[in-house]
Amino acid sequence: MLLTDLQTIFERDPAARNWLEVLLCYPGFHALVFHRLAHWLYKIGIPFIPRFISHLSRFLTGIEIHPGALIGQGVFIDHGMGVVIGETAIVGDYALIYQGVTLGGTGKESGKRHPTLGSHVVVGTGAKVLGNIQIGDRVRIGAGSVVLRDVPSNTTVVGIPGRVTRQNNLTTNVLDHDKVRDVEAEVIRALFERVKSLEKQFEQLEQSSLSPTELGGELTDNPKSKNSDGMIEDFLDGAGI
């Protein structure tokens, strides 16, 4: 499994130049080595030592992974400083996690209280995924997002709270962060265009004999207006998640 982790680093990090550099200079890999030992001891019921190994790993790498968390193969924690992964979190195979990410809980409830990530998930810098929620396969979570609800597979999620901005991800390059939509900006732009349309409507009302009802009908029948209505409703409803 550790060999798979190493191979994944070379596949996903263009800065990885040789095996020695990865073995000695990648805190994300070191954190996984510590965690796999701590998790094995945790599963067989050894007290104290797994938590101490986790604490030592946090001190050395800046990455905190509870010994109870289940981490799949080929997971890459890039840079990793400030990453926190809770006790009941599950991280699927070949996930890519950037610095500052939290896979945490939302309260003091017992049992499964941390998120489950599918395979090939990308969690951007500073994103927070909180609660006992399911993140599907091949999901991309934008930097700084806060995800509080289940996310279907093959989607991109951004914002606070996280909203789906793309269904059926087509790109195979998980590092294309510049292709994530800015949903908030799109909704603000739609509202701005709506305000301009209303201003134009009132100007026409002052200059013509058309009634406000007739002018309102013209605005309602405008396809662009209907499209912006749907965009705003999706934004307010959480865009499907």
Side-chain angles (χ1 to χ4, degrees), residues 194-208 211-219:
R194 179 65 57 83
V195 170
K196 289 201 301 183
S197 297
L198 290 171
E199 289 176 345
K200 183 177 179 181
Q201 177 185 354
F202 281 110
E203 288 177 3
Q204 292 175 348
L205 178 62
E206 291 177 350
Q207 300 171 5
S208 71
S211 69
T213 303
E214 291 172 322
L215 286 172
E218 291 179 3
L219 182 62

Side-chain angles (χ1 to χ4, degrees), residues 152-203:
S153 297
N154 303 306
T155 54
T156 297
V157 179
V158 299
I160 304 174
R163 295 176 170 86
V164 169
T165 64
R166 179 188 295 164
Q167 301 280 352
N168 299 320
N169 287 330
L170 299 178
T171 178
T172 58
N173 186 359
V174 297
L175 302 178
D176 284 341
H177 301 293
D178 59 317
K179 293 182 172 57
V180 175
R181 287 173 53 199
D182 187 343
V183 183
E184 286 85 354
E186 292 179 7
V187 171
I188 291 171
R189 190 177 299 112
L191 291 171
F192 179 69
E193 293 297 330
R194 179 65 57 83
V195 170
K196 289 201 301 183
S197 297
L198 290 171
E199 289 176 345
K200 183 177 179 181
Q201 177 185 354
F202 281 110
E203 288 177 3

Side-chain angles (χ1 to χ4, degrees), residues 2 15 32 37 48 61 70 76 89 98 113 142 172 176 200 231:
L2 290 175
L32 289 175
L37 173 60
F48 175 70
T61 67
L70 183 59
F76 180 26
Y98 286 92
R113 60 190 185 278
T172 58
D176 284 341
K200 183 177 179 181
M231 181 186 300

Side-chain angles (χ1 to χ4, degrees), residues 43 95 184 210:
K43 284 198 306 180
E184 286 85 354
L210 288 176

Side-chain angles (χ1 to χ4, degrees), residues 40-58:
W40 178 73
L41 295 173
Y42 182 87
K43 284 198 306 180
I44 64 177
I46 301 296
F48 175 70
I49 294 177
R51 289 301 302 270
F52 181 73
I53 293 174
S54 174
H55 182 72
L56 181 63
S57 174
R58 178 191 180 198

Side-chain angles (χ1 to χ4, degrees), residues 26-96:
Y26 275 67
F29 176 71
H30 301 156
L32 289 175
V33 172
F34 278 111
H35 172 72
R36 299 204 188 282
L37 173 60
H39 181 69
W40 178 73
L41 295 173
Y42 182 87
K43 284 198 306 180
I44 64 177
I46 301 296
F48 175 70
I49 294 177
R51 289 301 302 270
F52 181 73
I53 293 174
S54 174
H55 182 72
L56 181 63
S57 174
R58 178 191 180 198
F59 177 77
L60 294 174
T61 67
I63 300 168
E64 181 176 345
I65 308 176
H66 192 284
L70 183 59
I71 309 294
Q73 66 176 353
V75 172
F76 180 26
I77 303 176
D78 195 6
H79 299 290
M81 180 62 70
V83 167
V84 178
I85 301 177
E87 178 182 11
T88 61
I90 299 174
V91 179
D93 297 340
Y94 301 102
L96 173 57

